[in-house]
Amino acid sequence: MSRWTAALIGLLGVAAALAAGHLVAGLVGPTASPFLAVGNTAIDFTPTPLKDFAVRTFGTYDKLVLLVGMAVVIAAVAVVAGLLSRTSPLPGTILATALGALGVAAVLYRPDLGQLAVLAPVAAGVVGVLVFRWLHRAASAPSAPGEGRRTFLIAAGASVLAGLGGQFIGTRTDVEGSRSAVGELKPTTPAPAIPAGADFVADGTPSFITPNRDFYRVDTALSVPRVLAEDWTLRVHGLVDRELTLSYDDLRRRDLVERTITMTCVSNEVGGPYVSTANFVGVPLRDVLLEAGIKQGADQLFSTSVDGWTAGSPVDVVLERDRGALIALGMNGEPLPVEHGFPARLVVPGLYGYLSATKWVVDLELTTFADKRGYWLERGWGQKGPVKVMSRIDTPQGFATVRGRAVVSGVAWAQPTGVGKVEVRTDGGPWRDAELATAVNGSTWRMWRAELDLPAGGHTVECRATDLKGFTQPAERVAPIPDGATGWHSIFFTIE
Ligand SMILES: Nc1nc2c(c(=O)[nH]1)N[C@H]1C(S)=C(S)[C@@H](COP(=O)(O)O)O[C@H]1N2
Ligand SMILES: [Mo]
């Protein structure tokens, strides 16, 4: 058997295994697909520094990078197994079995998958072994001329069909249909209109409201959970006087409030992009918790998403009357986009998302920090995540060349207090006040601009914000882990 044939047998055997797993997963739970289950489990087991590196480096594409990386590794292993199997099919058989076993382990580890889901990786293992041995036999001892080639084509074609079939069945849940059926979520209390002077878009800041398609996205979900509004419920339990189970209709029939809120990710580096602002529509979280009645001693609101991700928020913070924490159903005039948590998510102004902003939320448990630890707390991030005062230069971009008078502009945030001042300085000189855009509320970012009168040549510009309580963003550069970056953003640019 030639090396090419041997390598191809390895590849086709593994492709058949993954395709069979994907097909069965379409029936028993899409994330049970061995490829996705192993990927999701890999995400959960990835050491925190590597995960932070991935979020930092690849941003929203981190999952695509992981999927492609996994495909490359699996293909390489498949080729090696094929090459080792030139005389005996044993190495390939072992590989297919190992793939199935890895898939079973990954599926059992996933909190969102039932026992039935192991059928998907089991199918992958069995089909992988059978197809591999069948191809091997056809190539090493063909009973008719051309049998090898014919067998290969059948295996490749059937794998493609099975993979596509699994994808089709698995995504047949009509989550977009459910989203459109929700219709308009009309707030009884709309947010005040955004004043005209709230941003400096003409000078290069982002728009005050971030369009949904541009809103940053950070989560551990390799495939976005697809939950129908009509199937969704939220359970409130634990240290409460009465347990509640709320349906989507229960929530949307209440008086909905709309709040303009800036969300921030703790992984955001100084100058980074993980901050966005939206009008969220929902039910005050405080009201729901008070209805359930919180028992003495509960200091943690432990929220769980449908895919098993968890966050622990301080109870005293989510209960603050002025905090404005929401069980959000809508975002910028539409039901939440699926990637941002449809049917429902939490939004707590002034807390980083990792311990408060659970998307696809299905469970709220009142408990204690001593009893339970959320996903990122378990992985080395802080227990309390108040958003730190921060400012960012958006224009000019680093290393840009500017003609004539330079205008520097950007955003600053200090939720829930609000930004009182932004200062800029050039080339290490004295600080001077930037012009602030109209404030919207303390839980949103604030745009700023300053005109610079500088000679031609290279310059460094820095900014720093002060909140309305007088606290100024510190100079000290601190990395995001464990509770958020600090330091002044600084940009080098050239005036022509
Ligand atoms: N279910 C779930 N919710 C989640 C996360 C997650 O990984 N899974 N990530 C959190 C983090 S770290 C942040 S910063 C925000 C980001 O919300 P966005 O993707 O809508 O911007 O969601 C939070 N909610
Ligand atoms: Mo985050």
Side-chain angles (χ1 to χ4, degrees):
M1 178 187 311
S2 80
R3 279 179 212 279
W4 288 107
T5 308
L8 194 58
I9 292 177
L11 277 175
L12 284 174
V14 166
L18 293 179
H22 206 63
L23 178 62
V24 175
L27 301 166
V28 297
T31 51
S33 172
F35 194 59
L36 294 177
V38 170
N40 273 318
T41 307
I43 290 178
D44 292 350
F45 277 112
T46 303
T48 301
L50 187 58
K51 195 144 34 181
D52 301 339
F53 167 81
V55 171
R56 226 170 32 238
T57 315
F58 307 116
T60 306
Y61 298 107
D62 56 348
K63 292 171 205 80
L64 185 63
V65 171
L66 175 70
L67 286 176
V68 172
M70 278 177 22
V72 170
V73 170
I74 292 177
V77 173
V79 166
V80 170
L83 289 174
L84 290 175
S85 303
R86 283 172 77 195
T87 46
S88 141
L90 191 61
T93 306
I94 293 174
L95 172 66
T97 311
L99 265 183
L102 195 63
V104 169
V107 163
L108 290 178
Y109 174 78
R110 300 288 329 146
D112 55 328
L113 290 170
Q115 302 290 315
L116 203 61
V118 297
L119 288 179
V122 167
V126 171
V127 169
V129 168
L130 291 178
V131 169
F132 181 81
R133 298 188 75 99
W134 176 52
L135 294 173
H136 197 273
R137 187 157 10 87
S140 42
S143 54
E147 190 198 334
R149 181 177 307 250
R150 211 164 38 243
T151 316
F152 281 33
L153 284 175
I154 294 172
S159 299
V160 169
L161 283 181
L164 290 176
Q167 188 65 18
F168 176 77
I169 303 171
T171 54
R172 156 200 60 158
T173 319
D174 189 10
V175 67
E176 280 307 331
S178 173
R179 253 189 104 229
S180 349
V182 165
E184 193 190 358
L185 294 165
K186 209 171 160 46
T188 318
T189 320
I194 307 295
D199 57 35
F200 290 127
V201 168
D203 290 312
T205 68
S207 57
F208 193 85
I209 296 292
T210 314
N212 286 351
R213 64 171 180 284
D214 297 335
F215 203 98
Y216 83 89
R217 177 181 167 203
V218 170
D219 56 60
T220 59
L222 204 43
S223 52
V224 179
R226 312 166 70 84
V227 188
L228 303 182
E230 50 274 35
D231 296 342
W232 177 88
T233 56
L234 177 65
R235 179 164 173 240
V236 187
H237 64 113
L239 296 171
V240 295
D241 299 328
R242 338 157 241 291
E243 266 194 45
L244 305 175
T245 301
L246 301 163
S247 69
Y248 194 82
D249 273 340
D250 291 338
L251 286 186
R252 75 165 301 173
R253 273 200 298 264
R254 294 176 175 229
D255 286 342
L256 300 178
V257 297
E258 184 181 38
R259 289 177 181 149
T260 312
I261 298 168
T262 295
M263 284 186 50
T264 322
C265 179
V266 71
S267 306
N268 198 48
E269 296 276 351
V270 174
Y274 302 138
V275 53
S276 303
T277 301
N279 284 314
F280 290 98
V281 171
V283 173
L285 175 59
R286 172 187 154 87
D287 294 356
V288 172
L289 296 181
L290 291 184
E291 270 169 50
I294 299 177
K295 288 212 165 103
Q296 273 288 309
D299 62 359
Q300 175 173 226
L301 174 66
F302 195 80
S303 50
T304 306
S305 73
V306 73
D307 64 343
W309 186 87
T310 56
S313 324
V315 165
D316 52 348
V317 172
V318 298
L319 280 187
E320 282 170 22
R321 192 183 289 279
D322 298 332
R323 177 67 60 161
L326 286 180
I327 303 173
L329 307 178
M331 183 173 177
N332 291 334
E334 31 177 298
L336 287 171
V338 180
E339 319 78 72
H340 293 292
F342 181 81
R345 75 173 306 168
L346 301 184
V347 181
V348 184
L351 293 185
Y352 287 122
Y354 79 98
L355 48 58
S356 67
T358 307
K359 307 194 267 190
W360 316 288
V361 64
V362 291
D363 190 285
L364 299 180
E365 180 182 352
L366 274 303
T367 178
T368 64
F369 281 106
D371 272 346
K372 285 194 128 165
R373 297 163 68 78
Y375 187 92
W376 287 111
L377 183 57
E378 196 62 27
R379 288 163 176 78
W381 293 78
Q383 187 186 94
K384 298 203 160 153
V387 172
K388 293 182 178 174
V389 181
M390 186 48 74
S391 54
R392 179 183 81 193
I393 300 166
D394 285 275
T395 301
Q397 288 183 350
F399 304 105
T401 300
V402 180
R403 275 165 207 280
R405 255 173 106 76
V407 176
V408 54
S409 70
V411 299
W413 58 89
Q415 310 96 306
T417 310
V419 172
K421 178 162 79 172
V422 174
E423 296 161 289
V424 295
R425 69 173 182 184
T426 48
D427 306 319
W431 290 101
R432 62 186 188 85
D433 286 1
E435 181 190 340
L436 290 179
T438 310
V440 171
N441 70 55
S443 294
T444 59
W445 56 14
R446 197 155 181 196
M447 311 291 177
W448 55 270
R449 70 189 289 279
E451 288 184 16
L452 306 177
D453 207 358
L454 294 168
H459 298 284
T460 301
V461 56
E462 291 166 283
C463 65
R464 68 175 185 194
T466 300
D467 72 14
L468 283 167
K469 289 181 179 156
F471 178 83
T472 300
Q473 172 188 344
E476 191 199 350
R477 277 273 179 164
V478 164
I481 191 157
D483 59 6
T486 67
W488 297 332
H489 190 204
S490 134
I491 286 289
F492 178 84
F493 71 106
T494 304
I495 297 191
E496 244 180 21

